[in-house]
Amino acid sequence: MPDLNHPELDSIAKKAREWRRAIHRQPELLFDLPQTASFVADKLGEFGCDEVHRGIAGSGIVAIINGMGGAGRSIALRADMDALPIQERTNLPYASAVEGRMHACGHDGHTAMLLAAACHLSRHRDFPGRVVLIFQPAEEGGGGARVMIDEGLLDRFAIDEVYALHNRPGLPVGYFASRPGPILAAGDRFVIRLQGRGGHAASPHLARDAILAQAHLVSALQMIASRNTDPLDSVVLSVTYLEAGNPDALNVIPGEIRIGGTMRSLRPETRRQAEARLREILSGTAAAFGVDAELDWRPGYPVTINDPDIAHAALDAVRAIAPDERVDDSCPPEMGSEDFSYMLERCPGAFVWIGNGDSADLHNAAYDFNDEAIIHGLRFWLGIVQARAAFR
């Protein structure tokens, strides 16, 4: 089985730091990752992976490493590869060379850690079953995981279990956190159009005031969390966009207004109930104020739900590489979203946080992945293979 203290791991981690920085310099977005995908696929070929499949979901890559320890599970390890449309503000020597793009979520680090695992496992195949390495495009809003599944990922490669590792600013380097059950929220978006009848600000009785309707609507929508959801459950509804009127025509009541925002939830049934309640509140408010309402509901990623047994197994694997005090096995769920949720809907698996130390937060122009985390991520991946590859 993989040796979690093999003397070559430190040298691989040092190489992975350079791979990470090379990827960081050339950030690419969503499904269009030609340089990143080529870099990853070439490395996997150099390592001697048994199979390297390119072009899944556009730029996605799947590699296979067969163990030499007999029959066992098909264990999938997933890393995301895409960057964000953010202008980097780090002034680092390896900062993004592409205007308006940067790796502000650490996907460059995730890719480098999984490449490091591929490098070691290709050389040391003393494990049963096989390892499926998934390098996924378009996590940042494109749903690349869903597209890979639609193109046959789970069935084509006969995956038994799937795991993802994501860095977490504020969690010390060398620390890990996860939990059974929901760990990240569903994130849905909405845009509402209220159509009234414009008029003179001095004669509001002759208009149908969409501004007044939206003011009541924004307030009423907060009842979904405060009055329609169990206080021990979680829903966050944020109105983040308003568009109406003209600052050069302040004596005009506008006829139309647009409202947009997000709604996040931690249970599939709560998600359905919250959406239904939003529609009811919108319909009732529109009727009360005599305006017409249109809802553009944009479903986002589902709730990320760790399989309870697999989550416990993953945390046991972490304890093989980190002391108990560095392992949080009941971290609270967070209201961000992850398209790894699509994989967990179809296959047993777990999402695990790895510490990024005292860095800027994710999706921040000052963020940088902490290279000191690479060795811990490498050992985590080897620990998963060690703990889960054999049938029991």
Side-chain angles (χ1 to χ4, degrees):
M1 299 298 286
D3 181 355
L4 306 184
N5 296 299
H6 196 285
E8 78 172 13
L9 298 186
D10 286 332
S11 64
I12 292 177
K14 288 179 182 177
K15 292 178 183 177
R17 179 185 65 183
E18 299 308 313
W19 304 336
R20 200 279 293 186
R21 295 183 178 188
I23 294 169
H24 188 92
R25 291 187 190 98
Q26 297 296 326
E28 297 173 303
L29 305 180
L30 294 172
F31 294 96
D32 188 21
L33 314 177
Q35 293 185 72
T36 307
S38 179
F39 181 91
V40 169
D42 289 348
K43 288 294 179 189
L44 295 169
E46 290 174 17
F47 300 156
C49 294
D50 296 293
E51 303 172 28
V52 179
H53 301 267
R54 304 179 186 227
I56 303 173
S59 298
I61 298 164
V62 174
I64 305 296
I65 302 174
N66 293 313
M68 300 180 67
R73 293 188 179 97
S74 183
I75 301 296
L77 315 178
R78 172 267 203 177
D80 35 20
M81 299 189 292
D82 56 322
L84 283 155
I86 295 174
Q87 180 63 43
E88 183 163 352
R89 304 293 183 194
T90 65
N91 296 316
L92 292 165
Y94 52 84
S96 170
V98 183
E99 188 75 15
R101 299 180 183 180
M102 73 170 289
H103 273 286
C105 201
H107 295 186
D108 51 342
H110 304 164
T111 299
M113 289 189 291
L114 192 53
L115 282 175
C119 179
H120 183 79
L121 291 170
S122 294
R123 298 175 183 174
H124 306 280
R125 298 170 178 255
D126 48 345
F127 57 88
R130 66 177 186 166
V131 176
V132 180
L133 305 160
I134 302 170
F135 293 88
Q136 180 208 305
E139 191 281 325
E140 297 291 358
R146 181 188 62 236
V147 178
M148 293 189 86
I149 291 168
D150 290 345
E151 294 186 11
L153 171 71
L154 300 176
D155 298 328
R156 178 179 174 185
F157 299 103
I159 293 170
D160 295 314
E161 298 176 2
V162 62
Y163 298 84
L165 192 61
H166 199 295
N167 79 96
R168 185 178 182 182
L171 185 67
V173 171
Y175 285 65
F176 295 83
S178 191
R179 71 188 308 276
I183 189 168
L184 287 164
D188 301 315
R189 302 181 182 191
F190 61 88
V191 175
I192 294 168
R193 174 178 172 269
L194 297 178
Q195 181 66 55
R197 182 170 63 231
H200 198 293
S203 305
H205 60 292
L206 300 178
R208 287 187 285 124
D209 192 347
I211 291 282
L212 186 60
Q214 73 81 20
H216 283 262
L217 177 62
V218 170
S219 179
L221 288 176
Q222 298 308 314
M223 292 194 303
I224 296 172
S226 67
R227 291 297 180 269
N228 303 136
T229 303
D230 187 325
L232 299 180
D233 201 351
S234 295
V235 168
V236 175
L237 188 146
S238 296
V239 173
T240 58
Y241 164 72
L242 294 171
E243 181 182 358
N246 184 338
D248 296 323
L250 296 179
N251 62 342
V252 175
I253 296 173
E256 180 181 313
I257 185 167
R258 293 180 184 272
I259 305 166
T262 67
M263 186 157 63
R264 300 174 182 274
S265 51
L266 282 171
R267 297 196 305 149
E269 54 269 37
T270 302
R271 183 188 191 190
R272 292 189 294 269
Q273 292 165 5
E275 179 190 349
R277 188 64 180 130
L278 182 147
R279 293 179 182 274
E280 292 170 355
I281 291 171
L282 175 58
S283 176
T285 303
F289 289 90
V291 300
D292 296 323
E294 295 178 1
L295 172 63
D296 177 9
W297 181 259
R298 304 173 184 179
Y301 298 159
V303 184
T304 303
I305 304 175
N306 283 341
D307 178 279
D309 292 336
I310 301 296
H312 286 303
L315 288 160
D316 287 343
V318 171
R319 291 186 178 93
I321 63 169
D324 282 348
E325 64 270 18
R326 296 188 177 188
V327 183
D328 182 354
D329 59 7
S330 57
C331 66
E334 297 193 6
M335 300 309 287
S337 300
E338 239 286 352
D339 78 342
F340 186 62
S341 55
Y342 292 114
M343 296 189 185
L344 293 181
E345 283 186 328
R346 296 278 304 276
C347 184
F351 177 96
V352 178
W353 295 110
I354 183 172
N356 201 58
D358 186 21
S359 71
D361 204 0
L362 303 175
H363 293 215
N364 186 305
Y367 168 85
D368 187 43
F369 180 85
N370 192 330
D371 289 325
E372 297 302 315
I374 290 175
I375 185 65
H376 302 286
L378 168 56
R379 288 197 171 102
F380 170 81
W381 286 134
L382 300 184
I384 289 293
V385 175
Q386 182 186 73
R388 301 301 298 169
F391 288 120
R392 289 175 176 82

